[in-house]
Amino acid sequence: MTTLSELNNCDLATFVDTLHGIYEHSPWIPQRVAMLRPFATANALKLALQSVVSAASDDEQLGLIRAHPELAGKAAIAGTLTEESTGEQARAGLNLCSAEEFATLQQLNTAYNQRFGFPFILAVKGPHGRGLSRAAIIETFARRLKNQAADEQAECLRQIHRIAELRLNALLGIEPQLGNTIMEWADVLAEWSDDDDGLTCAYLTPAHRKTAAQLLAWMTAAGMQAEIDAVGNVVGRYRSETPDAKTLITGSHYDTVCNGGKYDGREGILLAIAVVQQLHLRGEKLPFHLEVIGFAEEEGVRFKSTFLGSNAVIGAFDLALLDKADASGMTMRDALIVAGHDPRVIPAIGRNPDDLLGYVEVHIEQGPVLLERNLPVGIVTSIAGSSRYQVELTGVASHAGTTPMTMRRDAAAAAAEIVLMVERRCSQASSLVGTVGQLQVPHGSVNVIPGACRLSLDIRAADDATRDAAVAEVLRDIDAICARRGIEVQVERAVCAPAAPCAPWLMRQLAQATERAGVPAFELLSGAGHDAMAMARITDVAMLFTRCGNGGISHNPLETMTADDAEVSAQIFLDFLRHFQPPTR
Amino acid sequence: MTTLSELNNCDLATFVDTLHGIYEHSPWIPQRVAMLRPFATANALKLALQSVVSAASDDEQLGLIRAHPELAGKAAIAGTLTEESTGEQARAGLNLCSAEEFATLQQLNTAYNQRFGFPFILAVKGPHGRGLSRAAIIETFARRLKNQAADEQAECLRQIHRIAELRLNALLGIEPQLGNTIMEWADVLAEWSDDDDGLTCAYLTPAHRKTAAQLLAWMTAAGMQAEIDAVGNVVGRYRSETPDAKTLITGSHYDTVCNGGKYDGREGILLAIAVVQQLHLRGEKLPFHLEVIGFAEEEGVRFKSTFLGSNAVIGAFDLALLDKADASGMTMRDALIVAGHDPRVIPAIGRNPDDLLGYVEVHIEQGPVLLERNLPVGIVTSIAGSSRYQVELTGVASHAGTTPMTMRRDAAAAAAEIVLMVERRCSQASSLVGTVGQLQVPHGSVNVIPGACRLSLDIRAADDATRDAAVAEVLRDIDAICARRGIEVQVERAVCAPAAPCAPWLMRQLAQATERAGVPAFELLSGAGHDAMAMARITDVAMLFTRCGNGGISHNPLETMTADDAEVSAQIFLDFLRHFQPPTR
């Protein structure tokens, strides 16, 4: 055990010696990091270590990877595991492999080495730091074997950073308490699912109601006045001592998609409860009321209608939706009544905007941006607006052998031009994305020139002007491509949702808290929709994103985050609350 | 009535006056054609008239179209139909329209004029010259209303050429007797179908056996020794007076695809019978034996195996196929026995190549090349070889909103690049065609970046070197595109059939006969497979293509040709036989 202060003040040799084991057999890393002292926080030291690795040459990076032993593979048999790694792998139970598991790992090691030429690196302590199961290790190994080489090299470096992070925590005696709480609570909630496999928590199902009850209990235990409102939102109030203070709202949704991840939405509720619990335990009060809302519904799974919870809070719940039926024929009204709610009271949920200071939501990123930049958190600039279209192209189906290239009206070739045009056009602004997610030649035959092709279009940007300009150009180019190729085109607009820009004054205070944590305040766009999008209609909003592991995958059981990233996010949010200043208007 | 000789020798005023009515109110056409006199044949005169129209300005062409009255529309009501058109439309029964039909035509006229700005032109006498039904006229009108403007203008000009052709026939007293016979016989055969709607004639069905019996009867009546062989081929021999003469084979297949056209395959049999009948009636003998074969099977509908008839004739029938079952479970062996055949005798069908002079097949083009060039026939240079592949692309499915453009592994974008690359590469040689007929993102969602995309590849060329070079480059470029985009690719070869080049000495003799008919000898590739492809394995082959109407559509009930084009084809084939010279080797 040592302290950050000791590390900041010791001589180079001591520094390198102390940190030598953090990055396996690679003294060059602490050597270069030493120049960057002093570090204000452990986070800053971690990020500095990582940035030295990122800035290193490809050979140095590969050398770092190769300095690590194979996972319970040949190296283990030969007894050449380093002490650190051997200990960690043993704690992960890898010394208790069955013969079959050992054989599988050996095969994976061989295949992996043949494919990539470096050993498979995995932080076997996992995102919680409590250790991965052998089954999870083997599953991850098999999955990553299919990665592209460059991706996999980057993933190995990220796993090395995670190993180093855990070793540095041990060295400095850091325990991510808030992060651990968030991770454990998310695991508890993930036990309640509408399905036997995976996590599905749709609006007002038994799993959903159990989840609500648990959130209510945790909120109450954390010192909040809590209740479940008429739409199913779980609302906890951490009241200020100033009775007529305004209210800052935080939270996110607790429903999930089908077979979803356990952090999407829930992180933002659990993190806020953990932070309030911390304040409550210390007897700290805030100069404003803090409201933590677990929104009942955001994903739209059961009734094909999204944002039910946040729309009720902003007073925009559409009562006509009560007549909508789920797949089994039960109406939303009946589902509410069965769950003990009075749907007639829903309109009364709407908040008075004059009472509000704003809305700040913490959410897992659901994408790869923070992961690729080695940053635990980021500050959202805007929730992208979205324009969606269905495009139907009609050419002339004809014989693939008898129709010369110059006489074709190939609907798929027109579609191909459109796909590449969308890709090119939507690469022209940093906040812009454009996707053709559906693409199909209906009843296509290998020897028939496509007479028809259908495709979808999804264009999003941080601001409406950028998106609208791209959409207009894309639609114009579709017409031009089709005119040139003699293709008939029908374009139908499916969705047009405006962007919700985040409030600069809230973003600034989040950025300051982030920097105080020793983390650069990196800004990014939210391409996905969030409850903050609805809340933005009545108050200023901001969002803090937490890094998403496994390549940024979301809406999937593989969605993951680390306890350390949850900890950083919670500490930033706590610090943000403590330093919160209402806007001067 | 006048003669071609009179037209060749009269003064300009008489020429223009005589031909003035051929192209409606457009004396400029005979004026310009007069300079091109003399014409060796009526075909040459027809083609000269057409080429003057083709070379005219767009305004002149539109003027020619607008000189025609609307079809039973406003012009008819206003009494402004020209005498010719009125008479023709009346003969087509358009003066007998029901009120409902008249209203439909009026609506179509209005919609058509709004869309194209010129009147709808249709040669109401139709491809036979006997007149189209009112239902067929209305159906054609509705179908052509969906055409692209440029296509429809060209189609109107083609219909004007057809109207002019029929008027010129009447003026010169031309009766396409062979052509009419071929068209009528094709209509007779089209009555026998496996389905109630449309024409389906699969191997050894009752419809197929009736068709064979009818062909046998026509062959016998035309003076041939005819029989149905053990595989179901109908074989007629028009024997030479020289007993040890070699044999020239002609013919095509009499089976059809499901819901196919009535000329595909059958034209080549019926034309040969009509030509032999002509020789027989005149008592003309040939210095070689002529064998006309109606091949029993080429399309592969019933037993998913193609070229059964021609493979038997070349001694390459695969006896293992006898065990193949159709959809109802009946084996090919049982189907043959039920039809009265002895499958054991099939191997004896194989011809001795030493006895053969060659194989010449007449076939409808099944594509738009001759139609677009205003040519009734063309000489095939080669039957294209074909390479087919299935391509499977694997990228990374991720959130369409949260994944920046630069971090994507979009399988559909890679597929789009491949589609355009195939199109570009296969436009580099005139005989080359390349088609992506199947293209699909499996389970695509509008808001998910495609993680997978499947596509098919069909590349054909007149010669194997051209095709192989294109295939190699396309496969290399697929790899390059996928490597650059980080996409995994699996390519599976499905088909690789070599090209069958036509014999230059046979092509030359076909070309000479074509030119003697007053038609330029235009060469083109056959992109589709034909019995000649199998025959090429034992003897020299050549093919004459007849123009295919309706945009070149085939394998479809809309497949069509005119009696005049059938006549030209038959006359060329007859002349070819009369002038036939064996190769000097």
Side-chain angles (χ1 to χ4, degrees), chain B residues 320-374:
Chain B
L321 294 175
L322 294 172
D323 295 319
K324 263 194 134 172
D326 67 9
S328 78
M330 182 183 265
T331 62
M332 193 188 295
R333 178 180 290 104
D334 288 347
L336 280 160
I337 291 167
V338 167
H341 297 297
D342 181 352
R344 291 169 304 178
V345 188
I346 292 176
I349 294 172
R351 303 295 197 272
N352 179 356
D354 293 339
D355 297 340
L356 303 182
L357 288 164
Y359 173 80
V360 179
E361 180 172 355
V362 183
H363 202 285
I364 188 166
E365 183 200 331
Q366 300 185 272
V369 175
L370 296 172
L371 190 72
E372 304 247 344
R373 294 193 175 249
N374 282 329

Side-chain angles (χ1 to χ4, degrees), chain B residues 442-489:
Chain B
H443 315 296
S445 294
V446 61
N447 60 346
V448 177
I449 297 163
C453 194
R454 285 198 286 261
L455 59 103
S456 67
L457 204 56
D458 178 319
I459 297 181
R460 310 189 197 197
D463 62 288
D464 294 338
T466 300
R467 191 191 72 246
D468 291 346
V471 167
E473 254 185 69
V474 162
L475 295 180
R476 202 194 55 204
D477 285 0
I478 288 176
D479 280 343
I481 288 166
C482 291
R484 177 162 40 74
R485 287 181 170 271
I487 300 289
E488 268 183 67
V489 58

Side-chain angles (χ1 to χ4, degrees), chain B residues 187-231:
Chain B
D187 285 345
V188 170
L189 297 187
E191 289 298 309
W192 298 316
S193 171
D194 303 334
D195 302 331
D196 287 342
D197 305 324
L199 170 57
T200 303
C201 182
Y203 189 44
L204 299 176
T205 62
H208 187 266
R209 286 152 62 190
K210 265 195 206 167
T211 304
Q214 180 63 72
L215 289 173
L216 186 76
W218 283 330
M219 284 180 180
T220 307
M224 287 185 261
Q225 292 178 0
E227 56 157 20
I228 300 180
D229 72 15
V231 84

